[in-house]
Amino acid sequence: MVLALAGCASVNAENSVPQMEQGIQIGDPAPGRAVIWSRADRPARMMVEYAFSADFAGSKTVRGPYALEGTDYTARQELTGLPAGRDVYVKVWFEDLTNARSRSEPVTGHFHTIGRRDDIRFVWGGDTAGQGWGINSAFGGMKIYETMRRVKPRFFIHSGDTV
């Protein structure tokens, strides 16, 4: 652990707070739960704040796991006991292990827990824009993604490459 913190000092000289360059991922939904994933650029502790309104009124904060070298500085926090059929707003940041006031800029996200009467739509695609095919700037690029967005899917499965 001493070596990890010593390596952290050189990163801190360049950026005084942890960075979250990959944003967040929300997945593994199940009744009453979801998993929030993210990655820091150094040893840090993941923090997750969640609420059922966009203004974060009545929010709860979960002190998440440590993101360490052994996990490539990734961390995941499971949220449990979530009500069915509700919008959930999350705010994620990382705190430096040597100074909790040194924290990354928060990244926000949103998901919906599946209720008994919710319609579940998903879209899928894959292998788009390879070998010069798929993008046509004459009619606005790749309009398929706008069409997929309008369907308001709960899930998007992308199987294959995006070149």
Side-chain angles (χ1 to χ4, degrees):
M1 186 65 162
V2 173
L3 291 176
L5 292 177
C8 181
S10 65
V11 174
N12 280 338
E14 296 171 17
N15 297 312
S16 61
V17 298
Q19 303 296 306
M20 293 175 60
E21 296 173 353
Q22 286 83 27
I24 63 174
Q25 296 291 317
I26 302 167
D28 304 322
R33 70 176 279 279
V35 178
I36 313 301
W37 293 80
S38 192
R39 181 175 184 273
D41 68 337
R42 68 191 75 183
R45 183 170 201 162
M46 180 186 214
M47 303 294 287
V48 178
E49 180 180 2
Y50 70 98
F52 302 109
S53 63
D55 64 1
F56 282 85
S59 68
K60 296 179 183 177
T61 300
V62 178
R63 291 176 57 84
Y66 295 112
L68 302 172
E69 185 177 14
T71 61
D72 194 30
Y73 307 115
T74 61
R76 65 184 208 107
Q77 178 61 51
E78 185 174 356
L79 299 180
T80 59
L82 301 173
R86 294 284 304 268
D87 288 329
V88 182
Y89 299 85
V90 295
K91 192 181 297 182
V92 180
W93 66 91
F94 282 94
E95 292 181 350
D96 189 273
L97 295 183
T98 61
N99 180 359
R101 289 180 299 201
S102 177
R103 54 195 274 188
S104 67
E105 287 294 319
V107 175
T108 58
H110 165 253
F111 65 97
H112 184 84
T113 60
I114 303 302
R116 293 178 60 102
R117 301 193 188 282
D118 285 346
D119 288 333
I120 301 173
R121 291 190 193 114
F122 67 94
V123 295
W124 66 273
D127 295 326
T128 55
Q131 293 81 36
W133 298 94
I135 299 174
N136 184 338
S137 57
F139 70 88
M142 294 176 66
K143 290 188 174 186
I144 188 69
Y145 288 101
E146 175 59 18
T147 301
M148 291 169 15
R149 186 191 68 79
R150 283 191 213 146
V151 174
K152 297 183 180 177
R154 295 285 183 209
F155 302 97
F156 172 47
I157 301 169
H158 199 281
S159 178
D161 300 329
T162 55
V163 181

